[in-house]
Amino acid sequence: DAKTTQPPSMDCAEGRAANLPCNHSTISGNEYVYWYRQIHSQGPQYIIHGLKNNETNEMASLIITEDRKSSTLILPHATLRDTAVYYCIVRVFILTGGGNKLTFGTGTQLKVEL
Amino acid sequence: KAGVTQTPRYLIKTRGQQVTLSCSPISGHRSVSWYQQTPGQGLQFLFEYFSETQRNKGNFPGRFSGRQFSNSRSEMNVSTLELGDSALYLCASSLSGGSTDTQYFGPGTRLTVL
């Protein structure tokens, strides 16, 4: 499985953009980068995913470098409710038999403060 | 559309007992995956079911088992409970587990083994 590396923690002031980096240097050409977040002991919440192009939705933007070895999740205007653990995941698509599994790392604890 | 639901939300058992957890996927979703989350090991993939068949399995002992019903609802069972089985058990559903599917998580079942 492709491994991801994230900083263990980050702080962000409320109202400012939060930029969360992720390294995935062993990613394969057909593997997607997914971002989830988990607010204290709740189920992980899907945020966004991408293959090679930058993506944006109502929650966040995902910037993937041209060589696909790293990406950045951007929360444009962080609020206190964005305090959570953010997981960057390279999705493994299982070729034999189909299906997939998510391999979670340790994530980044984002703390948004006033 | 209703999200993934899991029952019960909290459970307390003693060592040696067995437990059954239930998961109802999002309507129309046919793939159900189970994950275990502990402070020491993080989020780990248990298994995935699709069309009532286990399609993929993580690295867990045979005490952990599951099944899926024709309506895509899934149950997981843990027999001969050990203290180390105390964890948050998460269920996630997706349309078919295909390469572009997104997994959506339920709130989890918090299992405490005494």
Side-chain angles (χ1 to χ4, degrees), chain B residues 59-110:
Chain B
N59 190 24
F60 279 83
R63 299 185 297 108
F64 292 82
S65 63
R67 60 177 175 169
Q68 186 180 34
F69 302 95
S70 58
N71 61 358
S72 295
R73 190 176 70 84
S74 176
E75 290 180 347
M76 70 162 283
N77 185 277
V78 187
S79 63
T80 319
L81 283 166
E82 301 176 359
L83 295 178
D85 297 332
S86 293
L88 180 66
Y89 290 88
L90 293 155
C91 163
S93 76
S94 66
L95 278 171
S96 64
S99 61
T100 58
D101 274 0
T102 295
Q103 291 189 29
Y104 295 92
F105 285 81
T109 294
R110 171 75 61 185

Side-chain angles (χ1 to χ4, degrees), chain B residues 6-59:
Chain B
Q6 293 187 245
T7 56
R9 293 293 311 278
Y10 301 91
L11 206 48
I12 299 175
K13 292 286 187 179
T14 56
R15 279 183 299 173
Q17 287 186 310
Q18 74 166 14
V19 66
T20 299
L21 312 181
S22 180
C23 171
S24 292
I26 292 171
S27 178
H29 285 193
R30 296 169 62 198
S31 168
V32 174
S33 298
W34 288 89
Y35 294 80
Q36 180 197 64
Q37 185 173 28
T38 60
Q41 299 298 318
L43 265 156
Q44 294 184 289
F45 172 78
L46 278 158
F47 30 64
E48 180 205 7
Y49 284 86
F50 178 74
S51 291
E52 302 178 62
T53 301
Q54 186 181 89
R55 184 158 64 175
N56 296 296
K57 190 176 190 306
N59 190 24

Side-chain angles (χ1 to χ4, degrees), chain A residues 7-44:
Chain A
S9 64
M10 293 183 64
D11 294 332
C12 179
E14 189 176 37
R16 305 297 292 267
N19 297 284
L20 292 93
C22 179
N23 283 315
H24 31 78
S25 58
T26 60
I27 192 170
S28 299
N30 61 350
E31 289 179 326
Y32 285 77
V33 178
Y34 274 74
W35 283 83
Y36 282 79
R37 72 180 182 184
Q38 188 174 26
I39 298 170
H40 185 60
S41 291
Q42 297 180 21

Side-chain angles (χ1 to χ4, degrees), chain A residues 62-80:
Chain A
L62 173 61
I63 309 297
I64 302 174
T65 58
E66 195 168 337
D67 63 8
R68 301 187 71 238
K69 292 184 177 182
S70 65
S71 61
T72 301
L73 177 74
I74 301 172
L75 307 178
H77 305 287
T79 71
L80 298 178

